[in-house]
Amino acid sequence: QVQLVESGGGLVQVGGSLRLSCAASGLSFSDYAMGWFRQAPGKAREFVAAVLWNDVTTYYADSVKGRFTISRDNTQNTVALQMSSLKPEDTAVYYCAASRRRLGLPPRGVHEYDYWGQGTQVTVSS
């Protein structure tokens, strides 16, 4: 019964901002690292950002570093991705994911995540 539901996707102009949110249920949220991935047409799913249970230890893909911020609220069982200075290459379906990994750096590999949401479309137009 684990569910991850993304919201907040949509159409935004180049240079604009957008905030994605993911609501988790059916799991002990604070026991999981949370991540965001994206998949553009014709490309593999790629890592965007991740955060450990503490909402302090984070890791970002170089392509989004300085522009995106990941955060989580363990009281609401949500993880957010605040995106700014958006570029056309940010266009993709964005997925949130949960990982049972508890040690080390925030997981960055698709294979390291156990649960996935259905995704939300982000389109950046010029």
Side-chain angles (χ1 to χ4, degrees), residues 12 15 28 32 40 44 56 58 62 75 79 89-90 95-96 98 107 113 117 122:
V12 64
S28 182
Y32 288 77
V56 174
T58 60
D62 288 340
T75 68
V79 59
E89 50 263 46
D90 294 319
Y95 300 87
C96 68
Y113 286 81
V122 172

Side-chain angles (χ1 to χ4, degrees), residues 22-117:
C22 174
S25 62
L27 51 75
S28 182
F29 185 72
S30 61
D31 288 343
Y32 288 77
M34 298 297 297
W36 286 97
F37 290 75
R38 66 188 183 187
Q39 188 165 21
K43 294 188 176 182
R45 192 168 299 187
E46 66 172 346
F47 171 79
V48 175
V51 59
L52 295 186
W53 66 271
N54 56 14
D55 194 30
V56 174
T57 307
T58 60
Y59 195 84
Y60 297 90
D62 288 340
S63 59
V64 307
K65 195 172 298 181
R67 300 189 298 119
F68 291 11
T69 300
I70 187 171
S71 62
R72 66 189 295 162
D73 186 340
N74 289 341
T75 68
Q76 296 188 1
N77 291 356
T78 59
V79 59
L81 185 69
Q82 179 64 49
M83 306 181 292
S84 62
S85 301
L86 285 163
K87 306 173 181 179
E89 50 263 46
D90 294 319
T91 295
V93 176
Y94 283 71
Y95 300 87
C96 68
S99 173
R100 296 169 184 163
R101 187 172 179 176
R102 296 181 178 90
L103 302 176
L105 297 174
R108 292 169 283 171
V110 171
H111 63 284
E112 297 181 275
Y113 286 81
D114 302 285
Y115 303 106
W116 295 83

